[in-house]
Amino acid sequence: MCLLFLAAISAFAQQNEVSNIWVADQGDGIYINPILHADYSDPDVVRVGEDFYMTASSFNAVPGLPILHSKDLVNWELVNYALEQQVPIEHFAKPQHGNGVWAPAIRYHEGEYYIYWGDPDFGICMVKTKDPLGEWEAPVLVEAGKGLIDPCPLWDENGKAYLSHAYAGSRAGIKSVLVVKPMNWEGTKTTGAGKLVFDGHDAHPTVEGTKFYKRNGYYYIFAPAGGVSTGWQLILRSKSPYGPYEEHISLAQGDTPINGPHQGAWIDTDMGEDWFVHFQDVEAYGRITHLQPMSWKNDWPTMGEDPDGDGTGQPVLTYKKPAVKTNQPITTPVDSDEFDGNEIGFQWQWQANPVATWAFANPAESKLRLFTDQLPEGAKNLWEAPNLLLQKFPSEVFTTTTSLTFYPNPKLRNEQVGLIVMGMSYAYLALESNDEGISLNYVTCIDAEHGKAEVKQEIAQLESNTIQLRVNVSMGGICQFSYSEDGEEFTAIGETFTAVPGKWIGAKVGLFAIRNSKTNDSGFADVDWFRFEK
């Protein structure tokens, strides 16, 4: 249950970092979508004064509940996480692909920031803090249950509080319905049974992802419907939190390439403009984040542009930036890493709750040290390995290169360190210790999710233990791995691999260090840098 939590990691935001891969702010008052070309699924945003804070689904990845900050809704910086470990801690010590944190909602109430999310196996959870860049309190289990997902709180001006949510059919046995429940003012528990406020089976199948608001005397539930990649943004409104609710479609794909535009946050600026942040599912590249202008007519919102004037908008690809009081320099979440800091960077996440001995920042040497760890007993492939250190794809086209030195334990065999593209199928280029020294292997695993075996090709027996590993990702997620022993000339592997999504997430790229035997003295790799380029 969501009862245990270790001390939150301290924020060490890296100011004004600009990616070499994707920048939404064009520098002339115009932005392009997506504002984040990375897998920040189910985004929600809150404004406090001149500051915007975003969170997103993190599923089984650790740390979880990313906290991003912006002054203008276009330029975002990854500044913290609200969950240092997934809870229950022992349950998430093993990879729980696709489980964990689903569709969070972030709100500000009486001087504190709250995040609610649904864990489909355990219930609705909440964390809070007075400082989003600092420590977040221990998670609270607001309501236990199977399949309770996509919650959102609403504190009414009349002193009452409510919680809306949806149901995951895979656990609850029902779906496509929304409920509203009473909640205590402290926001720590629901205080009554859910009232059915909407059934989407007839016209809005798979309605979910609730966001609860109040405006001009109306209660609004923003809820995506129609499916992740094929749906639309549904708006419900009523004079009572329990309905009956009228309905309106405010955003759909229309004549644009932006499929399934829905699930996100209505937000206003300190200059009185309204905006909508949402995601688009692009398969291996994940659920990327878009920003749409938003207007109100007859107390109904329209998002994006509305060329035919019917009140249902379609996404914009480019638009003028939001009007805000504070000018923000062009900023993007960090991707490349020189490993100069005292902590492992926020761009990195594990596949499960980490063990302290897996990795160490080594600021004195400006390196990251990865110790090999034994694969779980009975593991068929790396789908079951918790100690993969990964980050999101940052764009459709990019090149990732890393430089590392491998120091295997001379008494062991089959320790491996390498560069991996991870999804429900995966591929990697890795150094492996053997009787002859160190070999370089190219490994693929198709349908890893269902326990299929790896296919390994030995590429070369290496003369040195220092190497540069590279993967070039082109349109369609086509991955070409290569390597260099001198840091200048790279040799490509003869075949390519097509990246595929993970469980409810995009593919990821990163590092690993594994072994298949027990030891009291693991080998390790010192990673000098990890860089993204166009």
Side-chain angles (χ1 to χ4, degrees):
M1 292 182 294
C2 302
L3 300 174
L4 298 176
F5 184 68
L6 300 181
I9 51 182
S10 61
F12 65 101
Q14 300 174 352
Q15 299 294 322
N16 299 339
E17 292 285 347
V18 179
S19 173
N20 292 321
I21 308 302
W22 185 265
V23 180
D25 191 330
Q26 300 300 286
D28 57 0
I30 301 296
Y31 74 90
I32 59 172
N33 272 318
I35 52 170
L36 294 169
H37 206 311
D39 188 22
Y40 290 101
S41 178
D42 312 318
D44 196 31
V45 181
V46 67
R47 178 176 68 86
V48 179
E50 298 178 357
D51 296 292
F52 299 97
Y53 294 97
M54 180 192 297
T55 191
S57 295
S58 50
F59 299 100
N60 61 291
V62 183
L65 286 173
I67 306 297
L68 297 99
H69 172 258
S70 176
K71 292 282 190 179
D72 62 7
L73 290 172
V74 172
N75 293 282
W76 291 92
E77 181 180 16
L78 181 59
V79 294
N80 204 359
Y81 288 90
L83 278 178
E84 184 183 15
Q85 294 200 56
Q86 293 270 12
V87 287
I89 290 175
E90 286 303 316
H91 179 76
F92 285 98
K94 297 179 181 180
Q96 301 290 338
H97 296 280
N99 302 330
V101 175
W102 284 22
I106 183 169
R107 292 292 182 268
Y108 185 72
H109 171 62
E110 295 187 339
E112 293 184 294
Y113 297 82
Y114 289 73
I115 298 177
Y116 290 76
W117 75 95
D119 182 310
D121 297 305
F122 296 99
I124 294 171
C125 305
M126 179 271 289
V127 290
K128 66 177 183 173
T129 185
K130 292 182 179 179
D131 178 10
L133 275 65
E135 293 187 3
W136 290 73
E137 294 182 10
V140 172
L141 186 63
V142 177
E143 181 176 341
K146 292 280 189 180
L148 310 181
I149 60 168
D150 305 354
C152 186
L154 175 67
W155 287 274
D156 208 344
E157 62 264 22
N158 62 8
K160 295 182 178 180
Y162 307 96
L163 191 74
S164 63
H165 72 80
Y167 290 92
S170 60
R171 274 75 161 187
I174 62 171
K175 67 174 188 176
S176 295
V177 295
L178 307 180
V179 299
V180 171
K181 297 174 176 177
M183 183 177 69
N184 66 349
W185 191 251
E186 295 76 20
T188 57
K189 63 179 179 179
T190 54
T191 57
K195 284 74 172 174
L196 179 66
V197 298
F198 188 75
D199 185 336
H201 282 89
D202 290 338
H204 301 285
T206 319
V207 65
E208 55 189 358
T210 68
K211 296 295 183 289
F212 209 2
Y213 306 100
K214 192 175 184 183
R215 176 187 183 273
N216 287 355
Y218 282 106
Y219 296 87
Y220 290 89
I221 298 177
F222 286 33
V228 169
S229 61
T230 55
W232 50 88
Q233 181 61 47
L234 176 67
I235 308 295
L236 306 173
R237 77 175 186 189
S238 174
K239 288 292 186 176
S240 165
Y242 299 120
Y245 279 88
E246 305 171 86
E247 65 183 70
H248 166 70
I249 296 175
S250 63
L251 181 67
Q253 180 171 350
D255 297 322
T256 78
I258 311 304
N259 61 291
H262 59 50
Q263 178 105 348
W266 162 37
I267 196 73
D268 64 358
T269 72
D270 52 16
M271 299 290 284
E273 293 182 347
D274 293 290
W275 295 82
F276 185 67
V277 176
H278 69 94
F279 76 78
Q280 175 199 8
D281 186 284
V282 284
E283 296 293 336
Y285 296 100
R287 300 176 183 181
I288 60 179
T289 311
H290 291 246
L291 176 66
Q292 304 299 332
M294 180 171 148
S295 61
W296 291 88
K297 184 177 181 181
N298 299 324
D299 287 317
W300 286 114
T302 297
M303 300 154 181
E305 58 185 3
D306 185 10
D308 60 7
D310 67 352
T312 298
Q314 65 182 26
V316 299
L317 299 179
T318 64
Y319 206 76
K320 64 179 181 180
K321 290 171 57 180
V324 292
K325 293 179 181 178
T326 301
N327 181 45
Q328 177 170 336
I330 295 176
T331 307
T332 61
V334 174
D335 43 42
S336 294
D337 202 337
E338 299 298 315
F339 302 113
D340 294 331
N342 294 328
E343 308 288 344
I344 297 174
F346 286 144
Q347 63 267 53
W348 298 102
Q349 293 174 290
W350 299 100
Q351 279 208 131
N353 284 335
V355 174
T357 53
W358 289 351
F360 294 88
N362 186 359
E365 300 291 335
S366 293
K367 293 177 181 177
L368 172 72
R369 178 161 293 185
L370 294 176
F371 283 92
T372 66
D373 195 68
Q374 187 177 7
L375 280 171
E377 185 176 353
K380 297 180 176 65
N381 55 52
L382 296 190
W383 184 257
E384 300 174 74
N387 62 320
L388 306 187
L389 188 60
L390 307 171
Q391 59 173 293
K392 308 172 191 301
F393 275 22
S395 182
E396 287 184 292
V397 176
F398 62 92
T399 297
T400 298
T401 310
T402 187
S403 180
L404 60 85
T405 303
F406 183 28
Y407 299 94
N409 182 331
K411 298 180 180 179
L412 298 178
R413 297 294 179 268
N414 306 119
E415 289 186 293
Q416 291 189 80
V417 299
L419 173 68
I420 187 169
V421 170
M422 187 68 190
M424 286 185 281
S425 297
Y426 63 80
Y428 63 79
L429 199 54
L431 284 69
E432 181 176 4
S433 60
N434 55 35
D435 290 333
E436 288 73 40
I438 298 174
S439 63
L440 178 68
N441 301 318
Y442 177 62
V443 177
T444 58
C445 186
I446 306 303
D447 197 18
E449 178 191 16
H450 296 108
K452 297 301 175 64
E454 294 184 343
V455 176
K456 181 168 70 174
Q457 304 175 38
E458 182 174 323
I459 303 302
Q461 195 71 24
L462 300 178
E463 299 295 329
S464 170
N465 62 339
T466 296
I467 198 167
Q468 288 76 49
L469 304 176
R470 173 176 289 177
V471 60
N472 177 271
V473 180
S474 56
M475 295 293 291
I478 307 301
C479 303
Q480 176 70 70
F481 285 83
S482 60
Y483 67 97
S484 174
E485 296 186 78
D486 61 13
E488 296 180 2
E489 183 176 345
F490 280 79
T491 301
I493 305 304
E495 61 186 74
T496 61
F497 168 77
T498 301
V500 300
K503 192 72 171 179
W504 311 130
I505 64 173
K508 292 186 174 184
V509 62
L511 300 160
F512 70 94
I514 60 171
R515 51 184 163 82
N516 57 15
S517 57
K518 292 182 179 180
T519 184
N520 63 356
D521 193 15
S522 296
F524 61 89
D526 278 339
V527 187
D528 195 5
W529 43 260
F530 192 96
R531 297 170 183 163
F532 289 89
E533 300 172 309
K534 288 186 178 179

